[in-house]
Amino acid sequence: METFRMNRTFSLAEVYSKVSCFSVMTVKHVDRCKYVTAAEDCKHAMNLLRYYRIMYCAMKVDDRSSEMLVIVIYATVVLILILWVIILEKYFNHIVKIITIKLNLNEYLAGITLVAFCNTAPEMLTNVMPIRSLSPVYSTNMSSGVSILLLSSGTICYLRSFQINNACAIRDILFLILSSELLIYCMISDGFTTFTESCVLVSMFFIYVIINVIDLKLSRLYMEKVKRKIAEMKTRDLTIEDHEELSDLELTLSALEIHNMMGLHNYRDTYYYDNMVRKSSLRRSTIRRSTLGLGRVSRVIPQKKTIDKASTRNILHNPDNPKNMFIFSEFREALWPVDREQWRLKGWCGRGILLLLAPLYLLSVIIIPNPDYTADKHGWSKLLNCIQIIISPFICTLVIHALFLKSYDEYSMKFDFTYALYSLGITVPLAIAVFLHSRTDKPPAYHFIFAVIGFSTTLIIMMLCVCEVGVLFAIIGLSFNLSEDYVAISIQVLATTVGDVIVNSSLAKQGYERMALAATFAHPILELTLGMGLICLLNEHVRVKGTANWMVGMHGYIAHVFYMIAVFSYLAWGLIYNFFTRRSIGIFSYIIYALFCLYVFLAEFEFIYDMTYLSSYIEPK
């Protein structure tokens, strides 16, 4: 009996079934290949590639210098993946505009739903995968909220001068506070999250969206009422008081149209318009009441020029042209990965960057359809789009099936081509039918379907990239003796936030600053409600007593404190400046984020005490 107990206690198979794959750094170099081969967790902690096995078994790394060389290679891969995510997220700009116009949304509602979902979906999907089943997801999501609030909002405020809707901004700030406090209560009240609490978290985001939809409907009803009032007043003789009332109503209607309607903007016109507003003391609203209460501006700022999507669709159409006119030259032009206009305007450094990014752009162009209502023919390229009908579903089916099976060979994930080949039986005849039916000089009526295909394909590729970046950052951080929690809430979050900041900044530059700022506010709400709710529903580990400790991690409450500082700082400047943006707000946000990074760094290396409710470092007296 004693022999049986001894064998069970010291069984290597049982030990390897419970150890973490990321503990390999505690083992000597000569034993690491055996460790990562036998550890059960190494089959789940990796994603597409088994990086530790490649490092210690294939490359046979056996000393610190060669290990650092491999880490540099992994860091290069991380940089490439981040750049590809940034390129892919730009595709969402065009798709979001198309879907917003099709659904008749305003900028604000499109920002809190479409843009926010596009920015957070890859990270949310990654968090529910087995690779993140025991990760400090609370601290990661809270840190992501801090980064997006301070960096993205700060950049938008620095770039653009505008006024956001007061009621919408205050409502979003209140939801930001409610989301974080509800989540922390659900986690630490019992030490774990119940099924009911998970459902409450998921439903909170849908309540938030429903409230915004109702607000849009009521605002548009009021706008119609104002239009009828103006039309009625113009049909009768007006007194001096009536003229003043009519002027106020017209200014109110212009302000309502800015906040409730969505248009397509030309980038150059928008850029010129923004410079005009920057040089003046006015802000981009048809009427501005002075923030000091000293009166109102009598001049009306001209509105941004919008693009007629029907004219861009038919600009090159001629019914006398052959259906396949210039098909191959058009295909060659669409595949060209370097923007010719940017190439002419850039210096030697900028041209070098364009050349380095060209392979990623070419790969994206081949795989992903990219409709754009602001471009000629809405970005339609007949031959390329017909090829994408075949390629995009094939890749999506192949990747989804591989992630579902989660089967590995020696160094990488196995890809089963069975279902992907079956998809060709549908997509090849469909591509042939589209080729025979469509023209080269005009997109077909069903061009919107290509936006849906592009959205799905981009989302899947971004999810894979984000997952790989998370794994590689964990490996790189642990190789420098950094904790997994610190890497997750600092370097990894910053890397994933950069893409969101670029996308939101790009939207702001193109004249959709309200959409970008709304997406920034909705991003943490989506992560803390729907994102965390799905994790708690699908991850069985979170419903065990004491799971709040590893979900919060070592530095989770630091992120929570700075999150509240960021939220209340935006509430403060909104009330002080009447929700007009200032460049000083952006600079202030950058300073707060720098303080957050400094505090986490000092806490990681124990120069200062951590902020935590569950810490045993400080005993109460």
Side-chain angles (χ1 to χ4, degrees):
M1 187 68 176
E2 288 297 323
T3 304
F4 172 75
R5 288 181 179 175
M6 290 293 290
N7 291 338
R8 177 175 176 79
T9 302
F10 295 98
S11 170
L12 287 176
E14 185 176 356
V15 172
Y16 281 128
S17 67
K18 295 181 179 179
V19 295
S20 170
C21 186
F22 293 113
S23 299
V24 68
M25 292 300 175
T26 62
V27 181
K28 294 182 179 179
H29 283 90
V30 294
D31 298 324
R32 290 182 181 181
C33 178
K34 180 180 178 181
Y35 182 94
V36 298
T37 304
E40 188 69 23
D41 185 58
C42 289
K43 299 178 182 178
H44 307 289
M46 301 293 122
N47 195 41
L48 290 181
L49 299 175
R50 304 175 75 171
Y51 296 100
Y52 274 141
R53 291 198 66 174
I54 294 173
M55 183 188 301
Y56 296 115
C57 298
M59 296 184 177
K60 301 185 184 303
V61 173
D62 56 0
D63 55 44
R64 184 62 175 170
S65 58
S66 57
E67 186 177 72
M68 286 296 99
L69 179 60
V70 176
I71 292 301
V72 171
I73 296 173
Y74 285 172
T76 306
V77 174
V78 168
L79 178 61
I80 293 173
L81 292 175
I82 292 174
L83 291 174
W84 198 16
V85 169
I86 293 172
I87 292 172
L88 291 174
E89 287 192 332
K90 292 182 179 181
Y91 279 69
F92 279 124
N93 286 354
H94 307 312
I95 297 173
V96 164
K97 296 173 194 175
I98 293 172
I99 297 176
T100 300
I101 292 172
K102 289 290 184 180
L103 297 179
N104 194 27
L105 305 177
N106 67 342
E107 285 189 38
Y108 206 87
L109 189 57
I112 68 172
T113 53
L114 299 176
V115 181
F117 178 77
C118 292
N119 289 340
T120 58
E123 186 65 23
M124 286 197 303
L125 292 175
T126 304
N127 283 336
V128 299
M129 295 178 66
I131 190 175
R132 296 281 183 92
S133 59
L134 294 175
S135 298
V137 287
Y138 171 84
S139 59
T140 303
N141 286 342
M142 190 62 73
S143 177
S144 177
V146 174
S147 302
I148 200 73
L149 282 174
L150 295 176
L151 295 182
S152 181
S153 297
T155 304
I156 294 168
C157 294
Y158 188 85
L159 290 175
R160 303 291 287 180
S161 178
F162 66 100
Q163 183 186 27
I164 194 170
N165 186 282
N166 299 25
C168 294
I170 292 176
R171 181 176 61 239
D172 283 353
I173 290 172
L174 293 177
F175 262 99
L176 284 168
I177 299 172
L178 175 62
S179 301
S180 63
E181 296 308 303
L182 177 63
L183 175 59
I184 198 68
Y185 172 78
C186 292
M187 290 179 57
I188 68 172
S189 59
D190 300 319
F192 65 100
T193 308
T194 64
F195 179 81
T196 303
E197 291 170 339
S198 303
C199 294
V200 171
L201 288 173
V202 172
S203 62
M204 184 58 63
F205 180 75
F206 292 102
I207 294 172
Y208 168 67
V209 174
I210 290 171
I211 290 174
N212 279 275
V213 171
I214 295 174
D215 178 75
L216 176 61
K217 294 294 183 182
L218 294 176
S219 182
R220 285 182 174 174
L221 288 174
Y222 178 67
M223 189 169 64
E224 292 300 322
K225 180 180 178 181
V226 172
K227 286 182 179 179
R228 290 194 296 269
K229 180 69 174 177
I230 292 174
E232 185 270 331
M233 292 186 70
K234 288 183 177 180
T235 59
R236 56 185 172 87
D237 296 332
L238 303 178
T239 62
I240 296 177
E241 291 78 6
D242 291 336
H243 278 292
E244 292 181 354
E245 181 183 359
L246 178 60
S247 177
D248 288 340
L249 287 174
E250 288 177 341
L251 293 172
T252 301
L253 179 61
S254 298
L256 287 170
E257 288 177 343
I258 289 174
H259 289 291
N260 291 289
M261 305 305 293
M262 169 75 178
L264 291 171
H265 304 152
N266 183 283
Y267 176 78
R268 289 180 178 80
D269 292 338
T270 303
Y271 186 75
Y272 169 78
Y273 166 83
D274 185 60
N275 284 340
M276 179 186 66
V277 176
R278 282 286 189 193
K279 292 176 182 178
S280 70
S281 61
L282 301 176
R283 292 291 181 265
R284 186 180 314 118
S285 59
T286 333
I287 178 174
R288 178 196 174 191
R289 300 181 186 278
S290 172
T291 56
L292 300 177
L294 300 178
R296 70 174 63 173
V297 176
S298 58
R299 276 175 46 194
V300 175
I301 299 178
Q303 297 302 303
K304 291 174 284 189
K305 295 181 180 180
T306 58
I307 297 174
D308 181 13
K309 66 180 190 309
S311 62
T312 56
R313 181 175 186 267
N314 301 318
I315 189 170
L316 299 178
H317 175 59
N318 186 342
D320 297 329
N321 290 337
K323 292 179 65 175
N324 295 321
M325 186 176 180
F326 303 125
I327 186 170
F328 292 107
S329 60
E330 179 186 78
F331 176 71
R332 185 177 63 252
E333 182 73 20
L335 285 180
W336 189 253
V338 178
D339 189 297
R340 288 183 170 85
E341 183 175 356
Q342 290 189 19
W343 180 268
R344 288 194 297 268
L345 296 176
K346 298 286 185 181
W348 64 269
C349 183
R351 291 181 178 182
I353 295 174
L354 290 177
L355 289 177
L356 290 175
L357 295 178
L360 295 177
Y361 273 110
L362 179 60
L363 185 60
S364 303
V365 167
I366 293 174
I367 297 175
I368 305 169
N370 186 28
D372 180 9
Y373 280 1
T374 63
D376 294 345
K377 300 188 299 178
H378 293 176
W380 167 254
S381 177
K382 179 176 177 176
L383 185 56
L384 177 60
N385 288 137
C386 289
I387 294 174
Q388 289 167 340
I389 294 176
I390 302 172
I391 294 177
S392 297
F394 182 86
I395 292 177
C396 291
T397 307
L398 183 65
V399 171
I400 292 173
H401 189 209
L403 293 175
F404 178 77
L405 293 178
K406 200 70 176 180
S407 177
Y408 290 89
D409 56 20
E410 191 172 2
Y411 298 113
S412 63
M413 182 183 290
K414 291 181 180 179
F415 288 94
D416 188 348
F417 289 84
T418 305
Y419 291 103
L421 292 174
Y422 287 158
S423 69
L424 298 180
I426 300 174
T427 57
V428 171
L430 185 62
I432 294 173
V434 171
F435 184 84
L436 296 176
H437 171 265
S438 60
R439 302 176 57 90
T440 56
D441 58 359
K442 180 181 178 181
Y446 44 82
H447 194 211
F448 174 72
I449 299 176
F450 287 88
V452 178
I453 297 174
F455 174 83
S456 305
T457 308
T458 307
L459 190 63
I460 292 172
I461 297 175
M462 287 176 59
M463 180 193 68
L464 288 176
C465 292
V466 169
C467 196
E468 294 301 309
V469 167
V471 174
L472 287 169
F473 265 129
I475 294 173
I476 295 171
L478 292 173
S479 67
F480 290 101
N481 297 319
L482 300 175
S483 67
E484 186 179 355
D485 290 14
Y486 175 75
V487 174
I489 75 168
S490 58
I491 306 173
Q492 181 179 327
V493 166
L494 180 60
T496 55
T497 304
V498 167
D500 299 340
V501 173
I502 291 177
V503 169
N504 293 335
S505 302
S506 177
L507 284 172
K509 286 182 178 180
Q510 295 175 32
Y512 302 96
E513 60 277 351
R514 293 174 180 83
M515 180 190 296
L517 195 58
T520 298
F521 286 154
H523 189 287
I525 298 174
L526 181 57
E527 283 191 330
L528 299 180
T529 55
L530 182 60
M532 289 298 298
L534 289 176
I535 292 171
C536 296
L537 283 174
L538 301 177
N539 189 353
E540 59 183 14
H541 299 290
V542 304
R543 286 187 286 278
V544 179
K545 188 72 174 179
T547 55
N549 292 283
W550 61 262
M551 289 184 70
V552 172
M554 296 172 58
H555 310 300
Y557 293 114
I558 297 179
H560 180 257
V561 170
F562 276 90
Y563 174 88
M564 299 305 295
I565 292 174
V567 172
F568 280 104
S569 66
Y570 278 106
L571 178 62
W573 74 251
L575 297 177
I576 293 172
Y577 294 132
N578 195 24
F579 292 95
F580 281 98
T581 60
R582 299 287 193 278
R583 284 186 171 178
S584 57
I585 299 169
I587 297 172
F588 177 78
S589 300
Y590 297 150
I591 294 173
I592 297 297
Y593 185 75
L595 291 176
F596 167 68
C597 295
L598 177 63
Y599 199 105
V600 174
F601 176 81
L602 294 177
E604 168 68 14
F605 291 96
E606 299 181 355
F607 290 106
I608 58 177
Y609 282 117
D610 203 346
M611 295 179 184
T612 175
Y613 307 136
L614 306 176
S615 177
S616 58
Y617 297 128
I618 305 176
E619 295 293 334
K621 296 180 180 180

